Amino acid sequence: MKILLIEDEEKLAQALKRGLEFGGYTVDIVPDGKKGLTRASLHRDDYDVVILDLMLPSMDGHEICRQMRAADVTLPILILTARAETDTKVDLLLSGADDYLVKPFSFAELSARLQALLRRPSQNLPEKLTAGDVELDPSTREVRRGDTKLPLTLKEFSLLEYFMRHPNQVVNREDLLNHLWDFNYVGFSNVVDVHVKNLRRKLGGASDEGLLETVRGVGYRLHA
Ligand code: CA
């Protein structure tokens, strides 16, 4: 497992690298925002996860996240933030991060979050799911529409998997928030909408209402 650590606090970065390498990971440190974005974009296939500090020279973590997702980099992103405000957390998830840790955090906490992001599906997972010409394979985390492999992030994959496990049912936003996000702040269903919008775009266009219908005021329904 190879980790890209974008962090400019040298002591922290080195301590994390030592700890993670002791745990069997390989770690590359990039101490600059723009350089980190470039590395993640150009070498996306070399890494299994990105650990991203929020306050960085030349470009902040929010912007790096947004640009990675806009470039269809699907690597799991774990943000390290010194801020604990609620709105920042929502911003993080909206910008495409999969999870975040508030500094200071324990190494055990970091390890647990990483394992959750890197969790490889076990052998006993169910077979492929299909809806129309969309095929989702839980064992490889791959999604295809026809012959095209879709570059979904972890969250988009989880969303689609949830919809496909509840075909032709109305799934409401609160269910999605509760099942797919670790927190369930009331009134933040916007987070769900943003991820659904991205999922739709990747499924074949923002207007693909045929597959994933919006049920006004309630949630969504996947037609299978
Ligand atoms: Ca920093």
Side-chain angles (χ1 to χ4, degrees), residues 187-222:
F188 291 156
S189 55
N190 188 28
V191 172
V192 173
D193 294 341
V194 168
H195 283 81
V196 167
K197 190 174 152 217
N198 291 335
L199 176 61
R200 273 210 182 108
R201 176 176 63 81
K202 292 182 182 177
L203 281 171
S207 60
D208 196 355
E209 286 267 340
L211 183 67
L212 194 52
E213 176 198 359
T214 301
V215 182
R216 204 165 290 279
V218 185
Y220 301 94
R221 175 162 44 204
L222 179 99

Side-chain angles (χ1 to χ4, degrees), residues 66 89-97 190-192 194-195 198:
R66 266 191 295 273
K89 293 176 186 174
V90 174
D91 286 346
L92 291 176
L93 299 175
L94 285 176
S95 63
N190 188 28
V191 172
V192 173
V194 168
H195 283 81
N198 291 335

Side-chain angles (χ1 to χ4, degrees), residues 11-84:
K11 274 188 181 170
L12 176 62
Q14 291 299 339
L16 290 178
K17 181 179 165 81
R18 273 195 304 276
L20 290 166
E21 286 182 346
F22 186 75
Y25 298 101
T26 304
V27 181
D28 288 343
I29 299 172
V30 177
D32 176 83
K34 280 186 179 163
K35 286 178 184 159
L37 174 63
T38 303
R39 175 77 67 91
S41 302
L42 294 181
H43 299 275
R44 61 184 74 184
D45 295 334
D46 297 344
Y47 295 103
D48 297 289
V49 64
V50 178
I51 302 176
L52 179 61
D53 184 31
L54 215 47
M55 306 291 278
L56 289 162
S58 82
M59 184 183 285
D60 73 30
H62 280 119
E63 189 55 27
I64 293 170
C65 233
R66 266 191 295 273
Q67 293 205 23
M68 278 175 68
R69 292 319 189 204
D72 284 344
V73 175
T74 57
L75 285 168
I77 302 173
L78 172 65
I79 296 244
L80 306 180
T81 170
R83 314 166 183 155

